[in-house]
Amino acid sequence: MEEREIWEALCCRHSIAVQEKLQKAQVAIAGLGGLGSNVAVSLARIGVGHLHLIDFDEVDLTNLNRQYYFMKHIGMKKTEALKGILLDINPYLDIQTDCRKVKEEDILQLFEKDEYICEAFDRAEQKAMLVNAVREKFPDKVLVTGNGMAGYGKSNDIQTRKAGENFYVCGDGVSESIPGNGLMAPRVAICAAHQANLITKLIIESEEK
Protein backbone atom coordinates (compact mmCIF):
# COMPACT_ATOMS: atom_id res chain seq x y z
CA MET A 1 0.00 0.00 0.00
CA GLU A 2 1.44 3.36 -1.02
CA GLU A 3 1.40 6.44 1.19
CA ARG A 4 -0.71 8.30 -1.35
CA GLU A 5 -3.45 5.66 -1.18
CA ILE A 6 -3.67 5.88 2.61
CA TRP A 7 -3.71 9.68 2.40
CA GLU A 8 -6.54 9.66 -0.13
CA ALA A 9 -8.57 7.17 1.90
CA LEU A 10 -8.24 9.35 5.03
CA CYS A 11 -9.11 12.50 3.10
CA CYS A 12 -12.17 10.74 1.71
CA ARG A 13 -13.38 10.22 5.27
CA HIS A 14 -12.16 13.44 6.90
CA SER A 15 -11.65 16.02 4.08
CA ILE A 16 -8.30 17.38 2.90
CA ALA A 17 -8.37 20.39 5.24
CA VAL A 18 -8.94 18.22 8.31
CA GLN A 19 -6.40 15.62 7.26
CA GLU A 20 -3.72 18.22 6.70
CA LYS A 21 -4.10 19.39 10.30
CA LEU A 22 -4.04 15.84 11.64
CA GLN A 23 -0.99 15.00 9.54
CA LYS A 24 0.98 17.98 10.87
CA ALA A 25 0.12 17.46 14.55
CA GLN A 26 2.74 16.32 17.08
CA VAL A 27 1.27 14.37 20.01
CA ALA A 28 3.16 12.89 22.96
CA ILE A 29 1.66 10.01 24.93
CA ALA A 30 3.24 9.55 28.34
CA GLY A 31 2.41 6.08 29.61
CA LEU A 32 1.48 3.26 27.22
CA GLY A 33 -0.85 1.19 29.37
CA GLY A 34 -4.62 0.93 29.16
CA LEU A 35 -5.12 4.61 28.40
CA GLY A 36 -2.02 5.40 26.38
CA SER A 37 -2.01 2.35 24.12
CA ASN A 38 -5.66 2.88 23.18
CA VAL A 39 -5.19 6.62 22.66
CA ALA A 40 -2.23 5.94 20.36
CA VAL A 41 -4.18 3.45 18.25
CA SER A 42 -7.09 5.89 17.82
CA LEU A 43 -4.78 8.72 16.77
CA ALA A 44 -2.87 6.46 14.38
CA ARG A 45 -6.10 5.31 12.74
CA ILE A 46 -7.16 8.89 11.96
CA GLY A 47 -3.73 9.75 10.60
CA VAL A 48 -2.14 11.95 13.25
CA GLY A 49 1.24 12.23 11.60
CA HIS A 50 3.72 12.54 14.47
CA LEU A 51 3.41 10.43 17.61
CA HIS A 52 5.85 10.43 20.54
CA LEU A 53 5.55 7.27 22.66
CA ILE A 54 7.00 7.33 26.19
CA ASP A 55 7.15 4.43 28.67
CA PHE A 56 9.83 2.45 30.50
CA ASP A 57 7.90 -0.78 31.06
CA GLU A 58 7.54 -4.15 29.36
CA VAL A 59 4.32 -5.89 28.35
CA ASP A 60 3.26 -8.61 30.79
CA LEU A 61 0.33 -11.02 30.94
CA THR A 62 -1.70 -8.88 33.36
CA ASN A 63 -1.68 -6.01 30.86
CA LEU A 64 -3.75 -7.91 28.32
CA ASN A 65 -7.03 -7.39 30.20
CA ARG A 66 -7.17 -3.76 29.02
CA GLN A 67 -4.10 -2.69 27.05
CA TYR A 68 -3.76 -2.80 23.26
CA TYR A 69 -1.19 -5.58 23.17
CA PHE A 70 -1.23 -9.25 22.23
CA MET A 71 0.28 -12.45 23.59
CA LYS A 72 3.22 -12.17 21.18
CA HIS A 73 4.21 -8.85 22.78
CA ILE A 74 4.80 -10.24 26.29
CA GLY A 75 8.33 -9.36 27.38
CA MET A 76 8.73 -6.62 24.78
CA LYS A 77 9.23 -2.99 25.69
CA LYS A 78 5.88 -1.24 25.37
CA THR A 79 7.40 1.48 23.21
CA GLU A 80 8.56 -1.02 20.59
CA ALA A 81 5.47 -3.24 20.78
CA LEU A 82 3.12 -0.31 20.32
CA LYS A 83 5.22 1.25 17.58
CA GLY A 84 4.92 -2.01 15.65
CA ILE A 85 1.14 -2.05 16.09
CA LEU A 86 0.81 1.54 14.91
CA LEU A 87 2.99 0.96 11.86
CA ASP A 88 0.80 -2.02 10.96
CA ILE A 89 -2.08 0.47 10.85
CA ASN A 90 -0.16 3.11 8.89
CA PRO A 91 3.47 2.43 7.96
CA TYR A 92 4.06 6.07 7.00
CA LEU A 93 3.54 7.60 10.44
CA ASP A 94 6.44 9.41 12.11
CA ILE A 95 6.81 7.63 15.46
CA GLN A 96 9.41 8.63 18.03
CA THR A 97 9.94 6.39 21.08
CA ASP A 98 11.51 7.10 24.45
CA CYS A 99 11.90 3.99 26.58
CA ARG A 100 12.43 5.75 29.88
CA LYS A 101 10.75 6.79 33.10
CA VAL A 102 9.63 10.41 33.00
CA LYS A 103 11.42 12.53 35.59
CA GLU A 104 10.71 16.15 36.36
CA GLU A 105 14.21 17.27 35.45
CA ASP A 106 13.85 15.76 31.96
CA ILE A 107 10.51 17.30 31.02
CA LEU A 108 11.86 20.41 29.28
CA GLN A 109 13.93 18.32 26.89
CA LEU A 110 11.52 15.39 26.58
CA PHE A 111 8.43 17.33 25.48
CA GLU A 112 10.10 20.26 23.75
CA LYS A 113 8.82 19.44 20.24
CA ASP A 114 5.35 18.17 21.19
CA GLU A 115 2.25 20.34 20.74
CA TYR A 116 -0.18 18.07 22.60
CA ILE A 117 0.67 15.98 25.66
CA CYS A 118 -1.51 13.08 26.74
CA GLU A 119 -0.89 11.97 30.33
CA ALA A 120 -1.68 8.26 30.74
CA PHE A 121 0.19 7.13 33.85
CA ASP A 122 -1.10 4.65 36.43
CA ARG A 123 0.34 6.18 39.59
CA ALA A 124 -1.18 9.31 41.13
CA GLU A 125 2.19 10.74 42.09
CA GLN A 126 3.49 10.41 38.52
CA LYS A 127 0.33 12.04 37.19
CA ALA A 128 0.69 14.96 39.57
CA MET A 129 4.37 15.40 38.78
CA LEU A 130 3.78 15.54 35.04
CA VAL A 131 0.75 17.81 35.25
CA ASN A 132 2.45 20.30 37.56
CA ALA A 133 5.69 20.32 35.56
CA VAL A 134 4.05 20.70 32.15
CA ARG A 135 1.74 23.48 33.33
CA GLU A 136 4.69 25.33 34.79
CA LYS A 137 7.24 24.79 32.03
CA PHE A 138 4.97 24.59 28.96
CA PRO A 139 1.82 26.66 29.66
CA ASP A 140 1.10 27.00 25.94
CA LYS A 141 1.09 23.24 25.26
CA VAL A 142 -2.19 21.34 25.47
CA LEU A 143 -2.27 18.79 28.30
CA VAL A 144 -4.95 16.07 28.44
CA THR A 145 -4.97 13.83 31.49
CA GLY A 146 -7.03 10.90 32.80
CA ASN A 147 -8.47 10.56 36.29
CA GLY A 148 -10.96 7.90 37.40
CA MET A 149 -11.92 4.98 35.15
CA ALA A 150 -11.79 1.88 37.36
CA GLY A 151 -14.43 -0.83 37.54
CA TYR A 152 -17.42 -1.42 35.28
CA GLY A 153 -20.78 0.18 34.56
CA LYS A 154 -21.64 3.88 34.77
CA SER A 155 -20.17 4.67 31.39
CA ASN A 156 -21.70 8.14 31.32
CA ASP A 157 -19.92 9.15 34.52
CA ILE A 158 -16.74 9.40 32.45
CA GLN A 159 -16.66 12.90 31.09
CA THR A 160 -14.28 15.48 29.65
CA ARG A 161 -13.85 18.79 31.44
CA LYS A 162 -11.62 21.80 31.10
CA ALA A 163 -9.63 22.24 34.30
CA GLY A 164 -7.53 25.25 33.31
CA GLU A 165 -5.91 27.05 30.41
CA ASN A 166 -4.82 24.35 27.91
CA PHE A 167 -5.53 21.71 30.58
CA TYR A 168 -8.23 19.04 30.34
CA VAL A 169 -9.23 16.04 32.49
CA CYS A 170 -11.06 12.93 31.26
CA GLY A 171 -12.63 10.39 33.61
CA ASP A 172 -15.10 10.26 36.48
CA GLY A 173 -12.64 11.90 38.86
CA VAL A 174 -13.34 9.53 41.75
CA SER A 175 -13.07 5.80 41.01
CA GLU A 176 -9.91 4.07 42.17
CA SER A 177 -8.59 0.63 41.32
CA ILE A 178 -9.25 -1.68 44.27
CA PRO A 179 -9.69 -5.47 44.59
CA GLY A 180 -12.93 -6.47 42.87
CA ASN A 181 -13.20 -3.10 41.16
CA GLY A 182 -9.99 -2.87 39.19
CA LEU A 183 -9.07 -1.48 35.79
CA MET A 184 -11.02 -3.27 33.07
CA ALA A 185 -10.96 -2.92 29.30
CA PRO A 186 -14.41 -1.39 28.60
CA ARG A 187 -14.28 1.54 31.00
CA VAL A 188 -10.58 2.24 30.48
CA ALA A 189 -11.21 2.30 26.72
CA ILE A 190 -14.08 4.75 27.20
CA CYS A 191 -11.77 7.12 29.04
CA ALA A 192 -9.04 6.67 26.43
CA ALA A 193 -11.58 7.47 23.72
CA HIS A 194 -12.45 10.69 25.55
CA GLN A 195 -8.78 11.66 25.58
CA ALA A 196 -8.22 10.78 21.92
CA ASN A 197 -11.44 12.48 20.83
CA LEU A 198 -10.56 15.68 22.70
CA ILE A 199 -7.06 15.77 21.21
CA THR A 200 -8.59 15.26 17.76
CA LYS A 201 -11.06 18.10 18.33
CA LEU A 202 -8.36 20.48 19.55
CA ILE A 203 -6.10 19.68 16.58
CA ILE A 204 -8.85 20.21 14.03
CA GLU A 205 -10.14 23.41 15.63
CA SER A 206 -6.67 24.88 16.17
CA GLU A 207 -5.69 28.06 14.37
CA GLU A 208 -3.00 27.78 11.74
CA LYS A 209 0.39 28.95 13.05
Side-chain angles (χ1 to χ4, degrees):
M1 187 69 63
E2 294 184 2
E3 185 174 9
R4 176 186 55 79
E5 294 176 274
I6 296 174
W7 169 258
E8 290 176 351
L10 290 169
C11 289
C12 180
R13 292 292 184 180
H14 304 152
S15 82
I16 293 174
V18 165
Q19 202 57 46
E20 285 179 342
K21 285 192 170 186
L22 294 172
Q23 171 67 26
K24 292 176 183 177
Q26 175 81 39
V27 181
I29 303 169
L32 305 179
L35 288 178
S37 62
N38 282 287
V39 168
V41 167
S42 289
L43 297 181
R45 288 195 186 282
I46 63 169
V48 170
H50 308 277
L51 296 171
H52 183 187
L53 309 179
I54 307 165
D55 201 302
F56 69 94
D57 207 359
E58 297 179 351
V59 179
D60 69 43
L61 185 59
T62 66
N63 298 152
L64 301 189
N65 86 316
R66 68 196 185 282
Q67 302 181 18
Y68 207 104
Y69 302 107
F70 303 92
M71 200 69 71
K72 67 180 181 180
H73 296 125
I74 291 175
M76 289 180 64
K77 294 294 185 182
K78 288 183 178 180
T79 48
E80 291 308 306
L82 188 56
K83 180 179 180 178
I85 292 168
L86 302 184
L87 292 177
D88 279 344
I89 294 169
N90 184 342
Y92 303 103
L93 297 175
D94 169 40
I95 301 177
Q96 176 189 351
T97 61
D98 273 297
C99 186
R100 61 195 290 185
K101 191 168 186 176
V102 177
K103 298 180 180 179
E104 186 172 358
E105 58 266 29
D106 299 330
I107 284 176
L108 270 175
Q109 174 267 328
L110 192 58
F111 296 101
E112 181 182 9
K113 297 180 181 179
D114 302 308
E115 303 168 282
Y116 303 85
I117 300 171
C118 177
E119 178 279 312
F121 291 142
D122 289 333
R123 295 182 177 275
E125 61 271 22
Q126 281 290 102
K127 289 176 176 285
M129 179 275 294
L130 182 62
V131 167
N132 292 334
V134 169
R135 297 197 70 202
E136 176 188 348
K137 301 176 191 300
F138 294 118
D140 294 331
K141 293 184 186 291
V142 172
L143 175 62
V144 179
T145 186
N147 183 19
M149 73 252 10
Y152 53 89
K154 296 186 177 179
S155 300
N156 293 336
D157 284 355
I158 294 178
Q159 299 182 5
T160 298
R161 64 183 178 88
K162 187 171 184 178
E165 188 66 25
N166 295 321
F167 177 38
Y168 302 84
V169 179
C170 301
D172 63 27
V174 294
S175 63
E176 297 182 11
S177 180
I178 58 176
N181 196 54
L183 295 167
M184 301 175 71
R187 211 156 183 266
V188 170
I190 291 170
C191 189
H194 271 255
Q195 289 184 291
N197 189 53
L198 175 62
I199 291 168
T200 302
K201 175 180 184 292
L202 295 172
I203 292 170
I204 294 170
E205 294 180 358
S206 65
E207 297 295 329
E208 294 288 352
K209 297 180 181 178

